[in-house]
Amino acid sequence: MIHSLFLVNSSGDIFLEKHWKSVVSRSVCDYFFEAQERASEPENVPPVIPTPHHYLISVLRHRIYFVAVIQSEVPPLFVIEFLHRVVDTFQDYFGVCTEAAIKDNVVVVYELLEEMLDNGFPLATESNILKELIKPPTILRTVVNTITGSTNVGEQLPTGQLSVVPWRRTGVKYTNNEAYFDVVEEIDAIIDKSGSTITAEIQGVIDACVKLSGMPDLTLSFMNPRLLDDVSFHPCVRFKRWEAERILSFIPPDGNFRLLSYHVSSQNLVAIPVYVKHNITFREGSSQGRFELTLGPKQTMGKAVESVLVSSQLPRGVLNVNLNPSQGTYTFDPVTKLLSWDVGKINPQKLPSLKGSMSLQAGASKPDENPTINIQFKIQQMAISGLKVNRLDMYGEKYKPFKGIKYMTKAGKVPEGRRDEAALP
Amino acid sequence: VFSIKSYSALNLYSCSLKNEDLKEMLESNKESLKLEAMKRIVGLIAKGKNASELFPAVVKNVASKNIELKKLVYVYLVRYAEEQQDLALLSISTFQRALKDPNQLIRASALRVLSSIRVPIIVPIMMLAIKEAATDLSPYVRKTAAHAIQKLYSLDPEQKEHLIEVIDKLLKDKSTLVAGSVVMAFEEVCPDRIDLIHKNYRKLCNLLVDVEEWGQVVIITMLTRYARTQFLSPWREDALFDENSEKAFYDSDVEKEKADSKPYMMDPDHRLLLRNTKPLLQSRNTAVVMAVAQLYWHLAPKQEVSIVTKSLVRLLRSHREVQYIVLQNIATMSIQRKGMFEPFLKSFYVRSTDATHIKTLKLEILTNLATEANISTILREFQTYVKSQDKQFAATTIQAIGRCATNISEITDTCLNGLVLLLSNRDETVVAECVVVIKKLLQTQPSQHSDIIKHMAKLLDNITVPMARASILWLIGEYCERVPKIAPDVLRKVAKSFTSEEDIVKLQTLNLAAKLYLTNSKQTKLLTQYILNLGKYDQNYDIRDRTRFLRQLIVPNEKSGALSKYAKRILLASKPAPVLESAFKDRDRFQLGTLSHTLNAKASGYLELSDWPTVAPDQSVRNVEVMEPQSLERQPSTRGSDLFAYHLLVLLCSDSDDAKEKKRPKPKLDSVSSHSKASSSSDNTASSGSESEEDTDSDSEPEQKKKKKLSSKPQVRQILSFNCGCKMCLCVTAFQVSSPVFVPPKSHELLHRMSGKGLAVSYHFPRQPCAYSHRMVSVQLTLTNGRDQPLEDICVGEAGPPGIAIHRFATIERLQPEASITVSMGIDFNDSTQAANFQLCTKTDQFSVSIQPAVGELLMPVTMTEQDFLKEQGQLTGMNESSVTITIAPDSMSSQPVGRKVVSVANMGVVPSSQNSIHRFAAKTVSSGSLVLSSVVLQEASTAKLVVNTEKTVLGSVLLRELKTALSQG
């Protein structure tokens, strides 16, 4: 299925190649570079590119393109999903997935890629199986290995590979048994100029960090499972139990994993936790424009709105801005016209604001739209949908684990867009 | 010479040593130096540098004991073997040796590397290795074998036939680990051999949830293709499909009859596929979700397809690349099925941070979803897009508005007015796109819009985009009679700029001139002449051509033939309005989710989805017939080196070939299993309905009641199944039925050749779970025709006594002279040794026969631990226990003969014992499932105490007697 893999950095250099079948010349990437040149932004490179003899399917993450070479029909999502899994694995192993990290660990990378695919078909993609086959590099191990010549490579077939719980290795032992769950929700909303919501969605995930000995069997129940509209599970979750009782029952993988992703149905009203007051005007014929922005919290149940970051793409006609933030710092890039304001925490008593003037290109006509404003923020200890975990129980093991649960709300990838009202009929 | 430290301090990737140095390191006798050198070489390979020169030095290390070094050498070998074929052959013997290694990981990796060495000369060795690995005890090795099939096939397609044999064998494998890989091999090597799938279809459906994610995708795609060739189309108005009626179909005859009167009834196998794939919509793997979605799209009744909508919309929150593919598929779906996605309209709203290709696709979908009801919402959304700073996107939006306007006639005017307003936009790309779209819209209803045309004529002065200019000129030319005053003036203006225009504008100028000449020659004759003269000497030959053609057509002279009479009708014919269509209109000719669909072109290796058959193909091909007597060949049993893996393996495939080991170790019960008793048993009942298979043969035997065929697998599979909701639990109360210990089958005579007028029948008990009912003992009859004429219509006639139920074998239509045939039947003896009497009928004769079962055949072996055995035995004391002290033949004092003798008499499972002198056996009765325990305690002086514990006291005492006889004999 997957013939070869090329890793391309942002300056267009191939810095790693791996072939699972016959070697494919790296010149095949020229078609990719062509597409890359045509694209105005790195994200705009099409994920699937046909060439005369091959097909290139790529993903872009951490400013690295992972370009897979395909020779015949295969579901494109199969390849895309796999490439993302590769990136996740690298991240898991090296902490970061950067060009430098990959180059530093090129042997481990190669060993991993060798195990993950056989003849282009995925073989072992579960992180715990891989970790038994190839141990993640640590400083201590690197030193020991260089001195003793011992290896990072396991000699036995990982037990998980054959078991009915392939995601968990056997013989796990901890002195402190702990299970932590983070409920993280993201709001994705588009709001128009007048402040009314066009769309708003809440997506959530439950990320778990479980360090429990033996073969624990956990059940997690919610106070209000009805909130969850659409869910996808880690393979460990027993689907039938969820269907019948709305309980998450599972034997967890060891370590970090994403237990559940969910969507809160859009029928429920979504309360947006922050509001923006804005006044951005350009006067026809004048080379000055006014800019005023004030943020405030809304329906946060007394929790603080933190890590607020406002960004806005100003019109092309804007030469420079001269603004005065009441708190935090702002930057403006005169080339890309991107204004970003790092606000920090919103104090309800003293609302943060950003005021000042913009200088416009002389003679340029008045921009005909108001810029979109994106806001990012975090709220600790609150799940905006109101989702609450009821209890977590463990069966199958005798010890008493330490259990913890944390809630957080943040703005999604694309938080609030503020748009001008319509001018069309 | 080399200090280790100096290397490790340096970055492996960037630091390069000379090949000479590397060679020296590889030839040193220090492992660490060799490893270091190999790491550097792998670094070179990763960078794409040529390291083939080092081949001889590297290949020497192929047999290294250091496993990491060995693996790196493998990496190197696979990369360069093709270039250095002769040298690569040096390594082959190492792999051949490793293929016999007791460690399954080493066996598997040896096969992986061996099959990856693309050297044609070793094809026979590969073939042999694959065949051997396909019967390996370890499912992991078998999985590797499945992968190797494709490698060998691409190296030497001539091996196809042999490889198909291996595929056929591996398709029968019941391990979830193997299923995905072998289906992949099937798709690559012989996708047209649909017949290999029939018998495995139900198994694949049932295994699906437990297969690893990647295998699921491959299997689902293949089954989609399969289903389209084997089932009737469910897309009929009169069809009946809901889940409930289908369940009833399984259960009752009455429902069945009712259903028969309906014109369409979904094949239960078709439903099985739909039902078993549905939970996978919740998978975290986007490829799996997409695979299920396309399966539903191509196979499910129309009203059920929409269950995939939510999951597809969920995928839109995944990575950008995932969004791209999913949106493409939604775009295709939304053309045919607006209703599916309309409730999720807002999910397709464009965000300012979306990549361009995502934006375009979302626009496409919004346009497809537009209806009279929602158009105002969509148009309002479009208005914001038009003002986007991404002007290319704004232009695409205008096209989308144009499409909405033509599709929904109510809003055409509104859109047109809106677009005209946009003509005053400052951005030229936007204006140009507007002009093009307005032109198309006007063509649909030109009568009322002369003022728009006038407005556009004015625009010509400012617009520079060629396509827009050309569009305006064409509009004016086409409707010149509506704007008689302006048209000549426009012509005058473009005549002035003719030489500096783009080619398409020049062509339209010529058209305009010709049309005006025909309608208003008085004012434009000279202008036209002027333009035609300019065109005559243009650099572009298309323009020169057009000029010559138009001149002949419109300017009358003696040479211009009959055609010029029709010039007006030719040039000013009313033209059909362009149809604004979605780019995704015909995409559904490709299977959704495929690469071909994404590219909108057939990718190499694309397998066409066939149309539904018009006549239903034979459904019975998928019936898994009575099991063959188990193959007698034995696996080399010493291989499973590490015990735990072996236990798990038994767990995984206790019904596959591997489990037929004589001494089957009891699977380790993880502590998890004990607590979830309750949930597991309830789940088992819940899922048993779905696991049972329909007896489709029954139509030929109408008198017979429909019975659930309970295949032998379910008990094991339910426990492993994801569906059962409890992955790790083994039921504790209901002990698992295990495979029988192998004993040579003892054949009994049922009908002698002489009394049967030539028909001889013998029977034996194959000790297999009966396929017809779990209460029945399966019996195999071997019928031989000793006559010199064929026997016809052999069947089972009347049967008795009343307490005994018999599942008859299907009528044998014809048995040739000297031929013999083996058939299976099931008999519920009700846990008694009472004989079953029945008649065997041929076309001419009837023979009364009877089968008297030995008590040992009424049992099924179960597995349990020693503790469980003792616990259960403790509960079966008093009158449930019968015991006797016997004198044992001296040669039976060791453990082997005792075990053998007991199991040859009675179909019992061996319970592992911690003491050498005690042998324990466990079974349950077939009919009622009562536990039967037996133990033999060897004492001094050739005596032994024999104990049998069971609720069925009569059966117990008979069994005791039989065991006693067997053990006392020498």
Side-chain angles (χ1 to χ4, degrees):
Chain A
M1 292 190 133
I2 297 172
H3 223 94
S4 303
L5 176 70
F6 293 98
L7 267 52
V8 177
N9 63 16
S10 47
S11 49
D13 297 324
I14 301 171
F15 66 93
L16 187 120
E17 62 179 70
K18 167 89 183 118
H19 308 274
W20 284 274
K21 302 185 183 182
S22 298
V23 177
V24 176
S25 157
R26 55 165 66 193
S27 64
V28 74
C29 289
D30 292 348
Y31 295 97
F32 179 80
F33 296 137
E34 251 172 57
Q36 200 183 5
E37 257 167 52
R38 268 200 302 274
S40 51
E41 302 280 329
E43 292 82 31
N44 287 349
V45 179
V48 182
I49 301 171
T51 79
H53 301 291
H54 300 93
Y55 307 95
L56 306 177
I57 299 185
S58 63
V59 306
L60 171 67
R61 272 179 75 182
H62 309 287
R63 302 173 63 209
I64 300 172
Y65 290 100
F66 293 74
V67 186
V69 182
I70 310 298
Q71 210 155 35
S72 60
E73 176 63 54
V74 58
L77 270 186
F78 186 99
V79 181
I80 289 170
E81 177 81 26
F82 177 79
L83 292 176
H84 281 298
R85 215 55 85 77
V86 169
V87 181
D88 294 341
T89 308
F90 287 173
Q91 219 165 355
D92 196 23
Y93 264 74
F94 315 129
V96 284
C97 179
T98 58
E99 186 179 346
I102 291 174
K103 282 180 171 175
D104 285 346
N105 296 291
V106 66
V107 173
V108 179
V109 164
Y110 239 67
E111 284 168 346
L112 280 173
L113 290 176
E114 188 72 26
E115 287 305 331
M116 291 181 86
L117 281 183
D118 180 12
N119 196 35
F121 189 79
L123 192 60
T125 48
E126 280 298 334
S127 115
N128 79 82
I129 289 182
L130 286 170
K131 282 188 174 160
E132 276 183 76
L133 283 170
I134 300 148
K135 299 192 182 68
T138 60
I139 294 171
L140 181 67
R141 192 171 299 123
T142 319
V143 173
V144 170
N145 287 355
T146 7
I147 294 165
T148 62
S150 61
T151 69
N152 284 332
V153 178
E155 301 200 14
Q156 287 297 331
L157 185 66
T159 45
Q161 183 72 279
L162 288 176
S163 79
V164 283
V165 280
W167 55 86
R168 189 174 180 89
R169 59 194 172 96
T170 48
V172 181
K173 263 214 156 65
Y174 289 102
T175 39
N176 294 322
N177 288 293
E178 319 166 300
Y180 296 104
F181 294 88
D182 292 355
V183 180
V184 182
E185 294 195 340
E186 294 190 349
I187 306 182
D188 229 340
I190 302 175
I191 295 166
D192 72 9
K193 191 182 180 184
S194 59
S196 57
T197 311
I198 295 175
T199 82
E201 286 183 319
I202 300 173
Q203 291 132 37
V205 295
I206 299 183
D207 283 334
C209 175
V210 178
K211 295 182 172 173
L212 298 174
S213 316
M215 272 284 172
D217 197 334
L218 305 179
T219 57
L220 183 82
S221 61
F222 299 101
M223 305 276 257
N224 39 10
R226 281 174 182 282
L227 278 175
L228 307 182
D229 176 44
D230 177 56
V231 283
S232 74
F233 301 118
H234 188 277
C236 69
V237 176
R238 292 165 183 130
F239 185 65
K240 271 272 166 74
R241 283 288 297 274
W242 172 257
E243 283 279 270
E245 309 165 56
R246 300 276 142 178
I247 282 176
L248 295 176
S249 159
F250 55 99
I251 294 170
D254 186 36
N256 294 312
F257 66 102
R258 176 157 294 176
L259 178 65
L260 169 81
S261 328
Y262 60 88
H263 178 240
V264 177
S265 68
S266 46
Q267 274 71 35
N268 297 5
L269 272 182
V270 179
I272 312 285
V274 289
Y275 69 87
V276 181
K277 273 195 213 151
H278 62 105
N279 184 11
I280 302 170
T281 50
F282 304 98
R283 257 166 299 146
E284 194 73 63
S286 147
S287 61
Q288 290 286 309
R290 259 182 46 204
F291 187 97
E292 265 185 61
L293 205 66
T294 310
L295 298 176
K298 199 165 87 176
Q299 290 149 318
T300 60
M301 296 185 260
K303 304 283 195 290
V305 183
E306 296 167 8
S307 316
V308 181
L309 189 76
V310 178
S311 63
S312 176
Q313 182 76 50
L314 296 184
R316 263 175 296 174
V318 177
L319 274 186
N320 211 341
V321 293
N322 182 15
L323 302 174
N324 189 15
S326 70
Q327 69 180 77
T329 52
Y330 83 94
T331 54
F332 177 71
D333 184 341
V335 181
T336 59
K337 314 291 181 201
L338 186 73
L339 172 76
S340 57
W341 175 29
D342 188 352
V343 183
K345 195 167 161 179
I346 295 181
N347 179 358
Q349 270 73 51
K350 191 172 166 291
L351 298 179
S353 65
L354 183 67
K355 290 179 187 166
S357 62
M358 301 175 282
S359 51
L360 300 170
Q361 209 163 2
S365 48
K366 170 179 171 280
D368 51 9
E369 70 163 328
N370 270 356
T372 310
I373 298 167
N374 292 331
I375 301 173
Q376 288 179 24
F377 57 85
K378 276 183 192 162
I379 304 171
Q380 302 282 358
Q381 297 156 9
M382 180 181 91
I384 192 82
S385 67
L387 185 74
K388 271 230 142 48
V389 171
N390 184 19
R391 53 183 298 144
L392 175 74
D393 296 304
M394 185 181 73
Y395 305 94
E397 295 288 340
K398 296 219 162 51
Y399 55 82
K400 261 211 137 56
F402 183 81
K403 301 177 272 192
I405 184 128
K406 214 166 73 184
Y407 297 93
M408 189 166 77
T409 299
K410 58 184 185 181
K413 271 185 227 136
V414 188
E416 303 193 22
R418 218 157 250 268
R419 302 152 153 199
D420 203 347
E421 255 311 317
L424 272 168
Chain B
V1 191
F2 297 100
S3 102
I4 304 163
K5 264 188 195 161
S6 68
Y7 296 129
S8 51
L10 292 166
N11 184 335
L12 280 179
Y13 184 89
S14 54
C15 148
S16 59
L17 280 170
K18 289 212 179 77
N19 281 351
E20 286 311 309
D21 301 338
L22 287 171
K23 236 180 244 173
E24 207 170 313
M25 286 167 82
L26 283 170
E27 273 154 20
S28 83
N29 41 21
K30 270 194 188 156
E31 290 268 283
S32 54
L33 271 184
K34 288 180 175 180
L35 189 60
E36 193 60 37
M38 274 320 293
K39 285 184 174 175
R40 275 159 207 291
I41 293 168
V42 167
L44 287 176
I45 296 175
K47 268 194 284 185
K49 295 263 165 64
N50 188 359
S52 61
E53 209 182 289
L54 293 161
F55 203 98
V58 173
V59 81
K60 277 180 206 157
N61 292 302
V62 71
S64 166
K65 290 237 161 35
N66 182 318
I67 195 140
E68 186 169 23
L69 179 59
K70 189 148 80 174
K71 282 212 160 171
L72 295 179
V73 173
Y74 286 0
V75 169
Y76 182 92
L77 251 179
V78 172
R79 171 69 180 73
Y80 287 112
E82 216 169 358
E83 298 172 25
Q84 309 257 352
Q85 305 212 348
D86 292 345
L87 284 169
L89 294 179
L90 295 177
S91 62
I92 301 301
S93 62
T94 318
F95 296 122
Q96 283 177 302
R97 220 171 310 129
L99 284 172
K100 305 255 186 298
D101 197 279
N103 183 334
Q104 48 182 339
L105 183 62
I106 292 182
R107 286 205 303 282
S109 72
L111 181 62
R112 267 184 73 185
V113 182
L114 180 69
S115 55
S116 301
I117 296 177
R118 289 168 294 272
V119 177
I121 210 166
I122 62 163
V123 164
I125 298 177
M126 271 195 214
M127 192 69 222
L128 209 66
I130 290 173
K131 278 190 175 157
E132 196 151 304
T135 59
D136 198 286
L137 209 59
S138 154
Y140 185 70
V141 177
R142 297 202 299 274
K143 184 187 179 74
T144 320
H147 288 180
I149 291 173
Q150 308 166 51
K151 300 185 211 171
L152 181 52
Y153 180 64
S154 64
L155 183 65
D156 182 9
E158 305 244 303
Q159 300 294 321
K160 187 171 175 176
E161 287 312 311
H162 296 288
L163 289 173
I164 291 177
E165 278 168 33
V166 184
I167 289 174
D168 188 28
K169 181 165 201 165
L170 285 174
L171 275 172
K172 297 197 178 92
D173 203 300
K174 278 153 193 136
S175 162
T176 50
L177 210 54
V178 182
S181 303
V182 65
V183 171
M184 189 64 224
F186 170 84
E187 291 280 83
E188 204 109 315
V189 178
C190 51
D192 47 338
R193 289 290 303 275
I194 284 285
D195 56 300
L196 298 180
I197 303 299
H198 291 322
K199 291 268 182 267
N200 300 299
Y201 173 84
R202 288 175 196 162
K203 182 193 72 189
L204 284 173
C205 287
N206 288 323
L207 283 183
L208 197 56
V209 279
D210 291 324
V211 173
E212 33 80 41
E213 303 157 271
W214 311 106
Q216 286 174 343
V217 178
V218 176
I219 296 175
I220 293 171
T221 316
M222 186 277 287
L223 289 179
T224 309
R225 224 160 35 81
Y226 176 85
R228 281 288 279 259
T229 63
Q230 297 299 320
F231 305 129
L232 286 181
S233 167
W235 304 334
R236 283 172 37 174
E237 307 234 317
D238 49 358
L240 177 83
F241 342 73
D242 61 315
E243 284 254 33
N244 300 332
S245 72
E246 178 267 332
K247 266 188 190 131
F249 175 68
Y250 274 122
D251 293 339
S252 92
D253 291 343
V254 191
E255 274 294 321
K256 172 79 170 37
E257 273 159 30
K258 230 199 278 172
D260 275 346
S261 63
K262 302 269 183 192
Y264 170 81
M265 187 76 217
M266 187 181 270
D267 188 319
D269 285 327
H270 190 168
R271 174 54 72 195
L272 178 74
L273 178 60
L274 292 175
R275 191 174 44 220
N276 284 10
T277 47
K278 192 176 156 193
L280 298 179
L281 283 172
Q282 253 65 46
S283 171
R284 64 168 170 175
N285 187 316
T286 58
V288 174
V289 178
M290 187 66 231
V292 179
Q294 67 83 24
L295 181 132
Y296 265 76
W297 178 258
H298 292 293
L299 298 182
K302 296 282 187 204
Q303 63 271 40
E304 285 172 40
V305 180
S306 51
I307 66 162
V308 307
T309 313
K310 238 184 218 174
S311 308
L312 284 178
V313 173
R314 171 181 13 106
L315 299 189
L316 296 181
R317 284 170 234 134
S318 189
H319 297 285
R320 182 178 46 249
E321 298 85 5
V322 174
Q323 289 182 32
Y324 174 69
I325 304 293
V326 174
L327 284 170
Q328 277 190 323
N329 285 288
I330 292 180
T332 303
M333 292 171 153
S334 61
I335 290 176
Q336 284 182 36
R337 305 283 305 274
K338 272 184 206 205
M340 255 175 94
F341 295 97
E342 222 193 310
F344 296 90
L345 195 68
K346 288 184 172 177
S347 303
F348 304 107
Y349 280 8
V350 173
R351 318 202 163 247
S352 56
T353 44
D354 283 338
T356 310
H357 48 257
I358 303 276
K359 286 180 181 167
T360 319
L361 283 168
K362 283 187 170 173
L363 266 185
E364 177 71 40
I365 294 168
L366 286 174
T367 316
N368 289 344
L369 294 181
T371 59
E372 282 158 41
N374 62 23
I375 185 68
S376 56
T377 327
I378 291 179
L379 276 185
R380 210 174 312 133
E381 188 63 19
F382 280 176
Q383 284 158 14
T384 44
Y385 302 165
V386 168
K387 280 179 286 168
S388 159
Q389 297 191 15
D390 180 349
K391 292 305 166 196
Q392 204 49 53
F393 171 57
T396 322
T397 309
I398 292 167
Q399 286 172 12
I401 294 176
R403 255 181 63 204
C404 289
T406 43
N407 293 346
I408 302 165
S409 54
E410 282 86 345
I411 56 148
T412 312
D413 284 347
T414 332
C415 288
L416 207 47
N417 292 333
L419 291 171
V420 170
L421 283 179
L422 275 178
L423 288 175
S424 52
N425 194 292
R426 259 186 295 269
D427 191 274
E428 193 164 55
T429 342
V430 173
V431 176
E433 200 61 50
C434 276
V435 170
V436 175
V437 172
I438 289 174
K439 179 204 126 190
K440 288 180 183 164
L441 285 182
L442 283 185
Q443 242 182 302
T444 58
Q445 43 192 157
S447 50
Q448 316 95 335
H449 299 298
S450 59
D451 42 340
I452 293 180
I453 299 175
K454 279 179 203 155
H455 183 79
M456 289 176 71
K458 279 182 212 147
L459 280 174
L460 197 64
D461 298 340
N462 300 320
I463 284 188
T464 57
V465 177
M467 190 59 205
R469 288 180 73 83
S471 296
I472 295 175
L473 291 177
W474 183 88
L475 260 184
I476 293 170
E478 192 65 20
Y479 306 116
C480 53
E481 281 163 297
R482 288 180 215 287
V483 284
K485 287 196 183 125
I486 295 173
D489 194 46
V490 170
L491 187 64
R492 183 184 56 80
K493 282 182 192 161
V494 284
K496 264 207 300 203
S497 60
F498 187 85
T499 45
S500 54
E501 297 283 4
E502 287 276 330
D503 290 345
I504 50 167
V505 185
K506 284 180 182 167
L507 287 175
Q508 289 310 327
T509 310
L510 287 167
N511 274 352
L512 174 65
K515 285 172 185 167
L516 282 177
Y517 183 86
L518 289 175
T519 53
N520 187 3
S521 62
K522 207 168 74 189
Q523 273 184 299
T524 58
K525 191 171 178 184
L526 287 173
L527 262 176
T528 307
Q529 292 284 1
Y530 172 69
I531 288 168
L532 288 178
N533 281 336
L534 284 176
K536 191 174 173 186
Y537 299 106
D538 198 90
Q539 281 181 327
N540 185 305
Y541 53 78
D542 271 346
I543 291 167
R544 294 200 300 273
D545 251 13
R546 178 75 62 91
T547 312
R548 207 171 305 134
F549 162 71
L550 285 175
R551 190 190 289 275
Q552 289 296 322
L553 192 63
I554 57 174
V555 186
N557 58 24
E558 62 276 16
K559 269 186 280 173
S560 66
L563 212 54
S564 61
K565 268 188 265 171
Y566 302 107
K568 199 164 181 180
R569 275 167 72 183
I570 291 172
L571 284 175
L572 289 168
S574 68
K575 294 157 183 88
V579 187
L580 301 177
E581 270 180 345
S582 164
F584 285 82
K585 185 147 183 293
D586 294 324
R587 288 251 181 137
D588 62 337
R589 66 201 152 111
F590 295 111
Q591 186 173 358
L592 291 190
T594 59
L595 182 61
S596 304
H597 175 268
T598 294
L599 297 170
N600 198 17
K602 211 184 232 174
S604 66
Y606 174 73
L607 298 166
E608 218 52 79
L609 206 59
S610 73
D611 278 335
W612 296 102
T614 42
V615 184
D618 184 11
Q619 301 184 356
S620 63
V621 288
R622 284 179 294 279
N623 289 354
V624 182
E625 271 307 319
V626 184
M627 253 173 281
E628 298 290 308
Q630 297 203 347
S631 59
L632 303 184
E633 64 197 72
R634 301 276 297 284
Q635 305 284 342
S637 60
T638 44
R639 274 193 172 170
S641 64
D642 82 56
L643 193 64
F644 183 64
Y646 181 64
H647 285 171
L648 284 167
L649 181 148
V650 171
L651 229 172
L652 260 177
C653 44
S654 45
D655 51 347
S656 78
D657 293 348
D658 303 313
K660 287 171 219 153
E661 289 294 321
K662 191 153 194 172
K663 287 234 174 94
R664 217 165 135 277
K666 159 81 194 62
K668 248 186 214 169
L669 286 172
D670 280 287
S671 44
V672 197
S673 51
S674 50
H675 74 87
S676 45
K677 235 188 262 181
S679 77
S680 75
S681 55
S682 68
D683 279 325
N684 281 352
T685 45
S687 58
S688 64
S690 68
E691 297 279 352
S692 67
E693 282 162 7
E694 189 67 25
D695 182 0
T696 39
D697 275 343
S698 60
D699 294 273
S700 56
E701 298 157 290
E703 85 280 3
Q704 198 189 311
K705 284 221 166 162
K706 260 192 184 295
K707 275 179 189 139
K708 277 190 191 171
K709 249 199 219 172
L710 208 62
S711 77
S712 61
K713 304 157 234 168
Q715 270 119 331
V716 180
R717 186 153 341 104
Q718 278 164 20
I719 289 153
L720 300 178
S721 150
F722 182 66
N723 271 340
C724 90
C726 173
K727 280 208 161 181
M728 267 306 284
C729 55
L730 293 163
C731 343
V732 175
T733 37
F735 288 106
Q736 218 186 321
V737 172
S738 61
S739 320
V741 180
F742 174 75
V743 287
K746 233 182 283 171
S747 187
H748 312 271
E749 187 171 78
L750 188 63
L751 184 64
H752 191 266
R753 190 163 57 91
M754 298 310 287
S755 44
K757 298 184 180 170
L759 176 68
V761 184
S762 65
Y763 68 93
H764 73 274
F765 296 93
R767 293 193 172 181
Q768 285 298 311
C770 182
Y772 308 111
S773 158
H774 60 281
R775 291 174 61 93
M776 287 183 174
V777 178
S778 74
V779 184
Q780 286 200 338
L781 307 185
T782 307
L783 302 97
T784 312
N785 184 358
R787 263 201 287 194
D788 45 5
Q789 274 144 15
L791 284 165
E792 286 178 345
D793 295 333
I794 308 170
C795 63
V796 177
E798 280 173 34
I804 291 178
I806 293 184
H807 181 100
R808 295 155 166 83
F809 56 83
T811 304
I812 302 163
E813 285 178 9
R814 202 175 174 84
L815 188 62
Q816 294 297 336
E818 298 308 324
S820 68
I821 188 169
T822 303
V823 291
S824 276
M825 49 195 290
I827 303 176
D828 184 358
F829 287 103
N830 244 331
D831 291 346
S832 83
T833 49
Q834 202 181 6
N837 305 315
F838 55 93
Q839 288 188 315
L840 268 181
C841 312
T842 64
K843 203 173 183 183
T844 47
D845 298 292
Q846 293 183 346
F847 311 103
S848 293
V849 292
S850 74
I851 293 180
Q852 170 128 40
V855 65
E857 304 300 340
L858 300 175
L859 306 176
M860 293 295 286
V862 296
T863 44
M864 59 168 73
T865 60
E866 196 169 7
Q867 290 100 312
D868 288 329
F869 183 94
L870 294 173
K871 199 179 97 203
E872 296 291 340
Q873 196 176 34
Q875 287 168 5
L876 290 168
T877 50
M879 63 177 294
N880 290 332
E881 184 176 276
S882 38
S883 67
V884 66
T885 305
I886 53 168
T887 314
I888 264 186
D891 62 335
S892 303
M893 284 307 279
S894 61
S895 69
Q896 284 273 332
V898 172
R900 200 173 58 228
K901 280 180 176 164
V902 171
V903 296
S904 70
V905 169
N907 187 11
M908 299 185 91
V910 181
V911 176
S913 169
S914 53
Q915 290 147 285
N916 271 336
S917 58
I918 304 179
H919 305 288
R920 298 190 173 91
F921 307 90
K924 61 175 198 174
T925 60
V926 174
S927 187
S928 63
S930 322
L931 217 48
V932 180
L933 307 172
S934 132
S935 58
V936 181
V937 184
L938 299 176
Q939 292 160 342
E940 278 118 34
S942 298
T943 57
K945 192 179 180 203
L946 180 60
V947 187
V948 172
N949 304 68
T950 176
E951 288 171 4
K952 302 264 170 188
T953 44
V954 181
L955 190 141
S957 59
V958 178
L959 180 64
L960 187 76
R961 206 168 56 222
E962 298 234 13
L963 288 175
K964 182 182 162 189
T965 330
L967 287 167
S968 327
Q969 279 165 2

